[in-house]
Amino acid sequence: MSENLIIIDNPLARYYLTVLRRRDTRPAVYRDYVKKIGYIIGYEASRLLKWKPVFVETSIAKTEGIVPGKQVYIIGVLGASIPLMHGIWEALPWAGLGIVAARRFKVENKVLVRLYYERVPPDLSEYTSIAVDPTLATGNTMIKVLEKLNELKCKDYLVATIIASRTGLENLWKRFPDVRVITLSVDPVLNQDYFIVPGIGDAGDRSLSSDEF
Ligand SMILES: O=P(O)(O)OC[C@H]1O[C@H](OP(=O)(O)OP(=O)(O)O)[C@H](O)[C@@H]1O
Ligand SMILES: O=c1cc[nH]c(=O)[nH]1
């Protein structure tokens, strides 16, 4: 679809996604699997990060290793991305964590998005930012988030998501042609309620709801 699309093609990731797709997966399990997927996404994202070679001394000899070459900020979109950013953070524990909150509302036949809160460093020019949201449906939320990152002088960013719709990716790349997107699946349909089909349901409700005890 694009050279900027990275689809994680791994059986463990596909199994975790299958658990999320099942309609009867309970919230406590759903958020646990979102977090596990976050770790896998963080692992895959590490291929796109900057690293630098170092020497390291073991207890026996000197040898070569690598360390991060550039600071990273994970930017999570509230609320559905809470367990996802948690998982990515576990994989990239030296990263900072920024938060933006978005409200999505339908006006006539369009989905509009307003960012109403952010806790992000005022200058991201020295960082690689990973914008995190489990679903990219119309793409409008992610477009707003990347516009915000642009305002904060971020020049190096990637998008991490569990599923993306084809339409959402096209919209995103119309506005940000070079942005790299890591995802587990590109689902074919966006329905009339702007939900991804087959999708993973309402990621915010399913991740954040209380469960039986
Ligand atoms: O690509 P888009 O069409 O903009 O849709 C994607 C947005 O929808 C979901 O949030 P939701 O509106 O369900 O809010 P919530 O996380 O607060 O539940 C998701 O977490 C994205 O932020
Ligand atoms: O399919 C979708 C679309 C938007 N938000 C979700 O949580 N799921």
Side-chain angles (χ1 to χ4, degrees):
M1 200 175 172
S2 158
E3 60 188 12
N4 289 323
L5 180 65
I6 296 122
I7 298 182
I8 299 177
D9 184 19
N10 166 289
L12 189 61
R14 284 216 301 276
Y15 167 59
Y16 290 168
L17 177 60
T18 303
V19 174
L20 301 192
R21 288 196 193 277
R22 276 184 199 142
R23 64 183 311 155
D24 55 356
T25 296
R26 308 203 55 81
V29 176
Y30 190 93
R31 51 183 160 264
D32 184 38
Y33 278 70
V34 169
K35 192 173 151 197
K36 292 182 197 307
I37 288 173
Y39 195 94
I40 292 176
I41 289 177
Y43 172 89
E44 289 294 334
S46 71
R47 297 181 202 279
L48 307 178
L49 301 180
K50 306 255 180 320
W51 298 91
K52 63 178 186 199
V54 290
F55 285 105
V56 59
E57 279 184 43
T58 73
S59 50
I60 299 171
K62 207 170 180 184
T63 186
E64 291 170 6
I66 58 167
V67 293
K70 189 173 176 182
Q71 278 293 355
V72 174
Y73 247 86
I74 298 164
I75 310 288
V77 185
L78 292 182
S81 69
I82 289 173
L84 187 62
M85 58 182 151
H86 198 152
I88 296 176
W89 210 6
E90 279 192 4
L92 311 174
W94 68 92
L97 184 73
I99 303 286
V100 297
R103 181 149 296 126
R104 199 170 167 253
F105 45 97
K106 267 210 273 189
V107 177
E108 291 160 8
N109 283 335
K110 287 196 191 128
V111 173
L112 302 180
V113 177
R114 196 170 65 79
L115 299 190
Y116 63 94
Y117 174 79
E118 80 229 17
R119 190 192 185 287
V120 184
D123 183 345
L124 284 169
S125 53
E126 300 300 316
Y127 295 94
T128 300
S129 296
I130 307 178
V132 176
D133 204 341
T135 55
L136 193 127
T138 62
N140 292 350
T141 304
M142 195 47 79
I143 287 170
K144 284 281 178 205
V145 171
L146 296 188
E147 285 172 351
K148 172 56 68 182
L149 297 185
N150 264 355
E151 270 173 42
L152 302 173
K153 301 187 219 103
C154 182
K155 294 178 210 79
D156 176 16
Y157 37 67
L158 43 121
V159 167
T161 185
I162 298 176
I163 51 166
S165 77
R166 220 174 269 279
T167 314
L169 286 172
E170 283 163 7
N171 286 342
L172 182 70
W173 281 322
K174 249 184 238 154
R175 178 71 183 79
F176 293 96
D178 297 327
V179 71
R180 290 159 304 170
V181 178
I182 301 179
T183 190
L184 271 62
S185 176
V186 177
D187 281 12
V189 175
L190 196 56
N191 74 12
Q192 64 206 25
D193 297 319
Y194 304 103
F195 268 70
I196 302 167
V197 181
I200 54 172
D202 186 322
D205 283 359
R206 298 193 70 198
S207 284
L208 303 176
S209 299
S210 64
D211 207 343
E212 282 175 357
F213 56 94

